[in-house]
Amino acid sequence: MTGILDHTMLRVEDLEASLDWYTTHFGYEEIGRWEADTFTNVNLKRPDAHEDGAYLELTYNHDGRTYDMGDAWGHIAVRVRPDELESTYEQLMDEGVEDYRDPASCDNRYAFVKDPDGHEIEIVKRDHGAKFSLDHTMIRTEDADAAIGWYARKFDYELRRRSEHDSFGLYFMQPRDAPEEAMTVELTYNYDGRSYDMGDAWGHMAVRTDDLVDTWETLMEREAEDYRDPESCDMRYAFTKDVDGHEFEIVTR
């Protein structure tokens, strides 16, 4: 498998409102859509994003359901140039985006906003990648050692960056040869031993492969969870879960 993170899927309650929000504020463009009987998937990405940059998949279920955010998923992060954080945040505020955590409250290192469904979006300083392109997706883990080992063994990921703090640790996982513009997984481990609720507002992350069947067989040999195999998904994709229950889709392009 290439192992590159292909996309992150979020569930939304008002598709048109969400599309308007991401296209207006982040300059995303629709790059694909799947209309099914009971749901619609829309894929969004910056037009100037790197070819190995991840895209955002919005899922809208037609039955009008609402969602529980939970706390096992944390946020997605988008990039801005190091000297653009404050001006970018001010622009978003002028456009009517929710004032969640401004740069000053985050030591001018990053900031946070929320989309119309309440998904948290971190704005991070980066000297690479297109503005507002996806930098990482943060998820919470109850066992950092087990989680790091899972990504290393199942997907051949390596620990690209780590940051230890008084009450928590952050661990960024990515394929060894991934370009810096590719998305990473940020594992957050809180030292107090808390557990998490998965909720249903977040869907999954997806890992790209060149050969679905071969990759699935490799994952099964490495004792990954057999959640939804390729045959059950019409040989189009497959799903496994990490040690904390976060869903991972295996896809080809």
Side-chain angles (χ1 to χ4, degrees), residues 11-15 35-40 59-67 200:
R11 297 186 177 95
V12 301
E13 296 181 11
D14 185 330
L15 181 60
E35 295 280 1
D37 291 338
T38 59
F39 66 90
T40 300
T59 290
Y60 170 67
N61 287 294
H62 300 166
D63 56 9
R65 72 184 73 175
T66 59
Y67 300 104
D200 59 1

Side-chain angles (χ1 to χ4, degrees), residues 166-177:
D166 291 340
S167 60
F168 64 93
L170 307 176
Y171 314 96
F172 293 81
M173 307 295 295
Q174 192 180 47
R176 178 176 288 105
D177 57 353

Side-chain angles (χ1 to χ4, degrees), residues 201-242:
W202 294 79
H204 60 260
M205 277 183 278
V207 173
R208 190 187 315 158
T209 181
D210 297 322
D211 188 318
L212 178 62
V213 173
D214 181 69
T215 296
W216 186 253
E217 291 176 351
T218 297
L219 287 171
M220 293 302 97
E221 291 171 357
R222 296 176 181 179
E223 303 174 297
E225 181 174 342
D226 184 358
Y227 179 44
R228 296 176 63 189
D229 64 18
E231 186 174 359
S232 70
C233 300
D234 298 323
M235 305 305 293
R236 301 177 59 194
Y237 47 83
F239 279 88
T240 188
K241 292 183 179 182
D242 72 4

Side-chain angles (χ1 to χ4, degrees), residues 93-154:
M93 296 304 97
D94 290 342
E95 293 171 354
V97 173
E98 181 179 348
D99 183 5
Y100 181 45
R101 294 177 63 188
D102 64 18
S105 69
C106 302
D107 298 324
N108 291 304
R109 298 172 56 202
Y110 48 84
F112 278 87
V113 297
K114 289 185 178 181
D115 75 1
D117 292 275
H119 295 103
E120 296 182 15
I121 303 171
E122 182 182 10
I123 304 169
V124 295
K125 295 180 178 181
R126 294 289 186 263
D127 57 8
H128 60 268
K131 184 175 183 178
F132 291 133
S133 59
L134 286 172
D135 184 77
H136 63 264
T137 295
M138 188 275 268
I139 56 179
R140 297 183 176 95
T141 179
E142 297 180 12
D143 186 331
D145 293 329
I148 292 170
W150 187 90
Y151 286 92
R153 183 168 184 236
K154 304 304 189 285

Side-chain angles (χ1 to χ4, degrees), residues 79-88 108-110 124-129:
R79 305 176 176 109
V80 296
R81 295 294 176 183
D83 62 347
E84 293 180 338
L85 177 61
E86 186 173 348
S87 62
T88 297
N108 291 304
R109 298 172 56 202
Y110 48 84
V124 295
K125 295 180 178 181
R126 294 289 186 263
D127 57 8
H128 60 268

